[in-house]
C-alpha cells in the first residue's frame, strides 16, 4: 500500500472514531435522562443527527454505545484532578481544591453520575460492558490514590489505607451525597465539601 493510500485509510479510520466519540456524547445525554434499562437505540438516535439504521453503522448495539460513552465521560472526570495533584503546594490547598471539584461535579453533573452508578450496578447482571466498568473503576481508584498519596506527601506522612480502601471510602461518600442531593437535600453539597477533607486526613491516620 502506498504512503498516500495508507494516509487516506488512517484518515478514514480517524474520522470514523471521531464520529463514534461525537455520537457517544449525544447518546450519554439520552441514557442519563432515562436510565440504561429504559433507553433503546431509537431513543439514542433521536438525540443525534442519525437515523436508527445509520446509528448501527457506527455501533454494534446499545452496549457498544454505552461502553464508548461512559468511558469518555468518566476518564475525562478522572483527569480533572491531575492538575490539583500536580500543582498543589500545600496540604491545605490540595484539600480545598479537591473538595471544591468534588462539590462542583456533584452539583453540576448529578445526572451523569447517577448514570454511572446505574451502569455499574447493571454490570453485575449484564456482561455486555462489564469490562469497561471494571476498567473505569480501576481508573477512578488510581485517581483517588493519587490524591491521597500526594496529600500524605504534603503532610509528611504515609497512608494508613491501601489503594482500594481509599477508593471505597471516597466512592461511598460520593454516592451517599449524590443520593441525598438527587432527593433535593442541598446540604449534601456542604457535606461532601467538608467530609472530603476529613477523609483525606483519616487516610493518613490523623
Amino acid at each position: 500500500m502506498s504512503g498516500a493510500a495508507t494516509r487516506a485509510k488512517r484518515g478514514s479510520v480517524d474520522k470514523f472514531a471521531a464520529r463514534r466519540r461525537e455520537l457517544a456524547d449525544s447518546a450519554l445525554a439520552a441514557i442519563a435522562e432515562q436510565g440504561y434499562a429504559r433507553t433503546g437505540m431509537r431513543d439514542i438516535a433521536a438525540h443525534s443527527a442519525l437515523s436508527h439504521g445509520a446509528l448501527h453503522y457506527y455501533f454494534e448495539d446499545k452496549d457498544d454505545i454505552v461502553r464508548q460513552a461512559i468511558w469518555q465521560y468518566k476518564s475525562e472526570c478522572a483527569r480533572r484532578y491531575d492538575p490539583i495533584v500536580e500543582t498543589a503546594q500545600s496540604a491545605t490547598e490540595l484539600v480545598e481544591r479537591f473538595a471544591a471539584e468534588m462539590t462542583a461535579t456533584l452539583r453540576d453533573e448529578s445526572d451523569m453520575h447517577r448514570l454511572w452508578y446505574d451502569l455499574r450496578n447493571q454490570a453485575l447482571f449484564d456482561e455486555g460492558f462489564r469490562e469497561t466498568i471494571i476498567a473505569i473503576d480501576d481508573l477512578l481508584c488510581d485517581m483517588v490514590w493519587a490524591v491521597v498519596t500526594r496529600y500524605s506527601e504534603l503532610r509528611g506522612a504515609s497512608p494508613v489505607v491501601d489503594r482500594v480502601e481509599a477508593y471505597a471510602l471516597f466512592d461511598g461518600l460520593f454516592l451517599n451525597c449524590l443520593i441525598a442531593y438527587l432527593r433535593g437535600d442541598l446540604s449534601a453539597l456542604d457535606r461532601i465539601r467538608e467530609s472530603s477533607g476529613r477523609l483525606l486526613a483519616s487516610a493518613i491516620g490523623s
Side-chain angles (χ1 to χ4, degrees):
M1 184 179 292
S2 68
T6 298
R7 288 192 296 273
K9 182 177 181 180
R10 185 183 303 119
S12 177
V13 171
D14 290 345
K15 287 180 181 179
F16 184 84
R19 187 57 171 153
R20 271 177 60 91
R21 290 192 294 271
E22 179 184 341
L23 291 170
D25 284 338
S26 297
L28 193 61
I31 301 169
E33 181 180 325
Q34 302 184 70
Y36 171 81
R38 292 183 294 175
T39 306
M41 289 287 278
R42 294 187 185 280
D43 299 305
I44 294 170
H47 279 71
S48 70
L50 294 180
S51 67
H52 176 246
L55 195 61
H56 276 287
Y57 173 73
Y58 291 95
F59 299 97
E60 296 177 7
D61 51 26
K62 186 175 77 170
D63 286 351
D64 189 20
I65 299 177
V66 168
R67 283 191 294 270
Q68 179 81 23
I70 200 63
W71 175 259
Q72 288 175 192
Y73 174 69
K74 294 302 287 188
S75 58
E76 188 276 330
C77 282
R79 288 193 297 270
R80 293 177 190 171
Y81 297 87
D82 289 347
I84 299 173
V85 171
E86 294 165 1
T87 63
Q89 298 299 305
S90 69
T92 299
E93 179 190 350
L94 186 144
V95 168
E96 290 176 351
R97 292 171 62 187
F98 175 63
E101 185 61 45
M102 290 274 280
T103 304
T105 192
L106 177 66
R107 180 190 64 231
D108 300 336
E109 300 173 324
S110 57
D111 284 351
M112 294 300 182
H113 294 300
R114 176 177 60 184
L115 173 62
W116 159 245
Y117 287 108
D118 177 24
L119 293 175
R120 196 168 74 173
N121 289 336
Q122 187 65 34
L124 296 173
F125 304 95
D126 190 332
E127 296 183 1
F129 48 87
R130 184 174 297 167
E131 291 304 314
T132 299
I133 298 300
I134 292 171
I136 292 171
D137 252 333
D138 196 50
L139 183 69
L140 296 175
C141 193
D142 284 341
M143 178 271 289
V144 170
W145 188 236
V147 174
V148 169
T149 54
R150 179 56 178 156
Y151 176 76
S152 68
E153 291 170 1
L154 291 169
R155 288 286 303 273
S158 298
V160 296
V161 295
D162 64 23
R163 172 178 171 273
V164 173
E165 291 166 343
Y167 177 48
L169 287 171
F170 282 97
D171 183 61
L173 169 66
F174 193 88
L175 177 56
N176 182 270
C177 290
L178 176 65
I179 291 171
Y181 183 70
L182 289 171
R183 290 174 176 167
D185 182 2
L186 299 184
S187 70
L189 299 176
D190 293 328
R191 187 158 65 253
I192 195 167
R193 182 183 296 109
E194 295 164 2
S195 297
S196 294
R198 286 197 294 270
L199 275 188
L200 279 174
S202 70
I204 63 169
S206 65

